[in-house]
Amino acid sequence: MRPIRARLGALGAALLAAAPLSLAAPAAADARPGAATAGPPPTVEELRLTQPVPQEILRRGGFDCVAAEFAEALADARSAEQADRVVARHGGRLWRRAVDRAQGRGPASGDLSRDDDRPLYWARLGMTRALREWRPAFPLDDDRRAALLATLERSSRGQDSVELPAGRHIRRIVVTGFDPFQLDADVRRSNPSGAAALALDGTVIRTASGLARIETAVFPVRWADFADGTVERTLLPHFRSGPRRADLFMTVSQGRVGRFDVERTNGAWRGGFPDNLNVSRTGTVPVPSGVPTPAEQPQWTGTTLPYERITAAPTGPFPVYDNTAVTEIPAGGTEPVERPEGPTPGSTARAGGGGDYLSNEIAYRATLLRDAVGLRAPGGHLHTPVLRFGEGNTDPAHGRITDPDFVRDRQAITAQVRSVLSVAAGTLDP
């Protein structure tokens, strides 16, 4: 995930004032004693739902009724405990539905390609907006509503359903992807890493070391969620010692045009590019309290993926590179310097091989956690090619939401991610 450097503009006043097209209308305030009021206002991400493109994606993906059905179920909740169950059930159902659709199970509702990751993204935002607007008939403070939102995020992203098998007969792989991003520039965008996560979740692949089970999760493109520890909460149970400990992990995001990159080095620096909430953050990557971490936070972490084997193998149509470049402030220096061969001793990070955005950060956090708990398993970051629309469909103002080139390249990227994982897992001891 290496965003262009142009700053994204704020949403226009017309968008802020628009009403959602397919969300259940918020109920009138309940006048009964103890009834809760609505929660916080919609987020920038949720407000994008009002645009025609997200509505078309939801409709043509067959997910246009998800938010309304969730709102109806919430309305029937008569206690916070019931609401907890409703949120977890509907969040998990959304994730499973998206995975099933991507893997060809069940009816192919809608005419979008089954591998499309965007219906999941926009349906989740419809649900989070419905949860913010919900006015329950019982007291619900801001902290409890925030906890419900957190449950919805985790369950609808597969973060709480990663289940690795035990035993020596199978290898265990954890893979992560991301939401679409840079949506103010083109709201039609998909993220091939998220599509790959849906296509690979729960699948078994054959490798040179035997069978391997893949479990996946998807992460938001939001600085605050990362600072709050969403990555560590998801990965830590699978990095700890035990019979279900991961044998390999790979964080995946969208990177450069026309190529895959295995990122050799990750940096402890946030470069400030706006996230999906149009929020910027610059500074050292904040490590959340309460998770294992080295006594002194390092400026750099490195991949343990078998990059030489991966880059040499014929994994698919796109070339795969071992990317060693970083940007650092050398020891004793004050200005950033690009280092094609990696960081020098004592330097301060300004960009890892994967840049200074959230793709670099998820790789840094995952490998830092690996080192903190002593996980001796291959792990690191893979950048996919940029997913682009086909010729004649590049204008975001008038272009179609999909085209044959767009679908073909997304499917090719997913297939090559699977091949890269097979090569990496094939290096494990049998």
Side-chain angles (χ1 to χ4, degrees):
M1 185 182 306
R2 295 174 61 86
I4 58 174
R5 287 299 168 189
R7 292 281 173 169
L8 305 182
L11 290 175
L15 174 59
L16 293 171
L21 301 182
S22 70
L23 299 179
D30 196 325
R32 286 174 290 175
T37 59
T43 67
V44 167
E45 275 190 290
E46 292 163 358
L47 286 168
R48 295 189 184 102
L49 273 166
T50 63
Q51 299 179 46
V53 164
Q55 296 300 313
E56 183 181 354
I57 289 170
L58 286 169
R59 184 177 66 255
R60 294 179 60 184
F63 283 49
D64 49 330
C65 294
V66 167
E69 292 170 356
F70 175 60
E72 290 177 5
L74 274 179
D76 291 336
R78 291 295 175 261
S79 68
E81 291 72 24
Q82 286 185 12
D84 287 337
R85 293 191 290 272
V86 167
V87 169
R89 183 172 68 251
H90 280 258
R93 181 184 298 170
L94 177 61
W95 173 255
R96 290 190 298 273
R97 179 175 173 180
V99 168
D100 287 346
R101 188 178 193 277
Q103 297 182 16
R105 291 188 291 272
S109 54
D111 65 351
L112 283 184
S113 171
R114 292 191 74 131
D115 70 298
D116 203 313
D117 60 306
R118 297 172 296 175
L120 169 64
Y121 174 71
W122 293 110
R124 182 191 304 113
L125 287 174
M127 292 173 69
T128 58
R129 180 162 183 170
L131 183 50
R132 289 182 208 280
E133 294 176 339
W134 173 50
R135 292 176 169 87
F138 52 85
L140 187 77
D141 61 25
D142 292 344
D143 289 344
R144 193 64 182 265
R145 192 185 298 263
L148 291 172
L149 284 163
T151 296
L152 179 54
E153 287 282 345
R154 288 193 301 273
S155 59
S156 65
R157 295 179 175 280
Q159 294 175 0
D160 63 356
S161 60
V162 173
E163 296 195 9
L164 298 172
R168 294 187 174 185
H169 65 289
I170 193 165
R171 297 301 183 185
R172 294 166 285 275
I173 303 174
V174 175
V175 175
T176 69
F178 271 105
D179 288 346
F181 67 113
Q182 288 188 299
L183 297 169
D184 288 338
D186 190 344
V187 76
R188 302 176 299 162
R189 283 180 170 149
S190 164
N191 194 320
S193 69
L198 292 175
L200 295 173
D201 187 51
T203 62
V204 175
I205 59 174
R206 292 188 178 277
T207 80
S209 296
L211 298 178
R213 168 73 172 260
I214 302 171
E215 290 285 318
T216 72
V218 172
F219 286 89
V221 183
R222 297 191 296 251
W223 295 111
D225 294 67
F226 276 51
D228 288 342
T230 184
V231 173
E232 291 84 358
R233 276 193 302 271
T234 302
L235 297 182
L236 182 57
H238 316 293
F239 282 16
R240 290 192 185 278
S241 296
R244 300 176 189 273
R245 192 180 203 183
D247 296 306
L248 184 149
F249 68 91
M250 183 180 289
T251 56
V252 185
S253 66
Q254 182 176 234
R256 301 166 180 86
V257 174
R259 58 185 277 182
F260 279 86
D261 287 279
V262 181
E263 304 297 353
R264 186 84 73 87
T265 307
N266 318 298
W269 185 254
R270 297 176 145 194
F273 191 85
D275 64 10
N276 275 354
L277 294 175
N278 290 341
V279 171
S280 298
R281 290 288 182 268
T282 304
T284 300
V285 170
V287 177
S289 61
V291 299
T293 190
E296 183 176 349
Q297 183 178 353
Q299 286 294 302
W300 308 100
T301 64
T303 190
T304 47
L305 291 171
Y307 51 84
E308 292 178 334
R309 293 281 293 274
I310 292 171
T311 56
T315 54
F318 298 99
V320 185
Y321 292 90
D322 168 24
N323 183 36
T324 60
V326 301
T327 302
E328 67 175 19
I329 298 177
T334 58
E335 297 298 323
V337 177
E338 294 185 6
R339 299 290 191 192
E341 301 303 322
T344 57
S347 65
T348 301
R350 282 299 177 269
D356 57 12
Y357 198 41
L358 287 161
S359 55
N360 167 76
E361 184 160 328
I362 197 170
Y364 178 84
R365 290 181 180 279
T367 50
L368 185 68
L369 189 65
R370 172 203 65 197
D371 296 343
V373 300
L375 174 62
R376 300 188 180 278
H381 194 76
L382 181 72
H383 261 126
T384 76
V386 172
L387 181 62
R388 298 188 293 183
F389 290 95
E391 186 177 353
N393 190 32
T394 58
D395 182 359
H398 306 290
R400 304 181 305 280
I401 66 168
T402 190
D403 61 58
D405 291 345
F406 185 71
V407 173
R408 182 199 64 223
D409 285 353
R410 186 172 54 210
Q411 292 175 345
I413 290 169
T414 291
Q416 195 160 349
V417 170
R418 182 185 289 110
S419 294
V420 168
L421 289 168
S422 180
V423 170
T427 65
L428 298 170
D429 293 334

